Amino acid sequence: MAKMPVLLGFFLGLVMVGLASSAKFDELFQASWALDHFAYEGETLKLKLDNYSGAGFGSKNKYMFGKVSIQIKLVEGDSAGTVTAFYMSSDGPNHNEFDFEFLGNTTGEPYLIQTNVYVNGVGNREQRLDLWFDPTKDFHTYSVFWNQRQVVFLVDETPVRVHANLENKGIPFPRDQPMGVYSSIWNADDWATQGGRVKTDWSHAPFVASYRNFEIDACECPVSVAAADNAKKCSSSSEKRFWWDEPTVAELNLHQSHQLLWVRANHMIYDYCTDTTRFPVTPLECVHHRH
């Protein structure tokens, strides 16, 4: 046991290259719009939606590979028609994007989480699930982990979705564009709740989503650096090792694989891979994905 701190220190010394990590909002993020719909209570940030506006924020920097986490307490009570989003995205028409969208519902009905993955500007990879807890009663941690092998969506460290690198099957994978980190709350009652049948009840406004414990453990990419150079900078080499390139996180471990199977069996309510109406021909990544 005496050797453990030395080894751990060595490992951390190897991987702590170009990382940003903080629990404070102002160090990592800034308001994107509707600053008057932001409220601060100690370490908690609250975003408000009313019939005038929603609100949103974004990271001050862009990143490639690593892990991004935020603790969120979703809108309590009747949240039908509202969407709270937490996502990573690059810029431009051929952008990459990893989405968590929390779809509000009428009182007593479960919140739904919709995830989506855009690669080179193409999305249409929606999955929806309900949760094994009430996300409006307390804070829970929502994370995206991204390396050159996979994108993993996590809820309280439980994987709920994996998008694997299948470039060897001719399927593009998002590994060449730095991405910002964003969150927002807005009105989407044309589609968010029961296909748009249930509208936002503005008598219950303002709708409030609460945030705390902002963490970005990822490779920071200066805007002045070309994407190809950032990809090289954020990949391990003989001179530096990043934790997200370690073999232990190249794929889910056995416990995580069992957790994901449990989520899919008990909480998934929609998967684009099985939607033969939208996709008469099964999307190619669905044929090859193990999960």
Side-chain angles (χ1 to χ4, degrees):
M1 285 299 289
K3 293 182 179 180
M4 183 65 85
V6 177
L7 289 172
L8 181 61
F10 174 68
F11 182 69
L12 290 174
L14 282 173
V15 300
M16 292 299 286
V17 183
L19 303 182
S21 186
S22 173
K24 293 188 180 299
F25 174 81
D26 290 339
E27 293 176 7
L28 297 175
F29 296 96
Q30 58 194 6
S32 303
W33 47 290
L35 189 56
D36 61 344
H37 283 56
F38 283 64
Y40 298 90
E41 294 181 5
E43 295 297 308
T44 299
L45 167 67
K46 295 190 173 186
L47 294 192
K48 297 188 291 184
L49 166 67
D50 57 27
N51 55 351
Y52 298 102
S53 180
F57 62 83
S59 58
K60 295 179 179 179
N61 298 298
K62 288 187 167 55
Y63 305 91
M64 283 190 76
F65 312 130
K67 187 177 180 182
V68 176
S69 299
I70 297 183
Q71 290 192 337
I72 308 174
K73 182 165 70 169
L74 295 168
V75 178
E76 290 190 65
D78 184 356
S79 57
T82 71
V83 172
T84 305
F86 164 48
Y87 61 103
M88 298 184 70
S89 181
S90 60
D91 298 328
N94 298 315
H95 75 293
N96 300 325
E97 187 172 328
F98 314 140
D99 291 340
F100 271 112
E101 292 180 310
F102 306 97
L103 312 183
N105 218 327
T106 51
T107 302
E109 294 296 316
Y111 245 95
L112 300 182
I113 291 184
Q114 177 169 284
T115 60
N116 201 353
V117 175
Y118 285 74
V119 184
N120 296 334
V122 179
N124 298 321
R125 298 180 177 90
E126 296 91 349
Q127 293 181 355
R128 287 188 181 186
L129 57 142
D130 57 25
L131 291 164
W132 49 97
F133 55 84
D134 183 344
T136 72
K137 298 301 182 188
D138 204 350
F139 287 90
H140 292 270
T141 303
Y142 304 93
S143 308
V144 176
F145 168 68
W146 173 34
N147 64 12
Q148 299 198 51
R149 300 286 296 274
Q150 60 181 353
V151 180
V152 185
F153 295 76
L154 303 114
V155 176
D156 290 337
E157 294 304 310
T158 296
V160 299
R161 178 174 186 165
V162 172
H163 185 82
N165 185 334
L166 296 170
E167 288 177 308
N168 63 334
K169 305 292 185 183
I171 299 168
F173 183 79
R175 63 182 183 91
D176 60 351
Q177 299 181 41
M179 302 173 83
V181 185
Y182 305 92
S183 188
S184 56
I185 183 170
W186 79 96
N187 177 44
D189 65 5
D190 56 331
W191 65 270
T193 305
Q194 299 178 33
R197 290 188 297 274
V198 181
K199 302 300 183 183
T200 304
D201 184 346
W202 294 109
S203 70
H204 294 144
F207 303 98
V208 178
S210 302
Y211 301 78
R212 70 182 188 194
N213 291 353
F214 305 85
E215 287 196 25
I216 298 177
D217 190 351
C219 183
E220 193 173 304
C221 296
V223 291
S224 58
V225 177
D229 293 330
N230 273 320
K232 186 176 180 180
K233 167 182 176 286
C234 295
S235 301
S236 295
S237 65
S238 57
E239 289 83 33
K240 63 182 187 294
R241 292 291 301 176
F242 292 112
W243 69 268
W244 52 81
D245 288 327
E246 292 303 304
T248 51
V249 292
E251 59 184 11
L252 299 187
N253 62 36
L254 186 60
H255 176 62
Q256 290 171 321
S257 296
H258 288 161
Q259 287 180 311
L260 179 59
L261 290 171
W262 176 82
V263 169
R264 292 181 61 87
N266 295 282
H267 293 281
M268 180 166 285
I269 58 175
Y270 175 81
D271 184 0
Y272 78 104
C273 284
T274 59
D275 189 339
T276 54
T277 302
R278 285 179 68 196
F279 303 102
V281 177
T282 302
L284 192 56
E285 69 260 24
C286 301
V287 175
H288 296 292
H289 259 163
R290 284 168 298 165
H291 297 294

